[in-house]
Amino acid sequence: MKPRKELMETMHKDPSNWRGLFYFNRKDPRLTVPKINGLGWTFNFASIYSWLIIVAIILILLGAQFLL
């Protein structure tokens, strides 16, 4: 189990997986990862599930706006 955690940490710290404040890594199975500065979390934008969650949140907010 420990080598997997080390691999995840290595992928997380690799600057080539970061595009500004956004994390993109298709090999990383995590949906969320710690931010590079260590304060908070961000989505792994290479994951389709991250995009589905973002779209769902936007649709819920838009739907709530129309219902009110």
Side-chain angles (χ1 to χ4, degrees), residues 13-58:
K13 289 184 177 181
D14 184 0
S16 66
N17 292 329
W18 289 89
R19 297 186 183 135
L21 298 174
F22 302 103
Y23 182 74
F24 289 87
N25 186 353
R26 291 190 190 276
K27 295 178 183 175
D28 192 339
R30 297 177 292 181
L31 182 62
T32 59
V33 295
K35 287 187 178 181
I36 195 81
N37 63 6
L39 299 172
W41 294 79
T42 188
F43 283 111
N44 178 0
F45 286 95
S47 169
I48 187 69
Y49 299 112
S50 295
W51 288 104
L52 292 174
I53 289 172
I54 292 168
V55 168
I57 290 170
I58 291 170

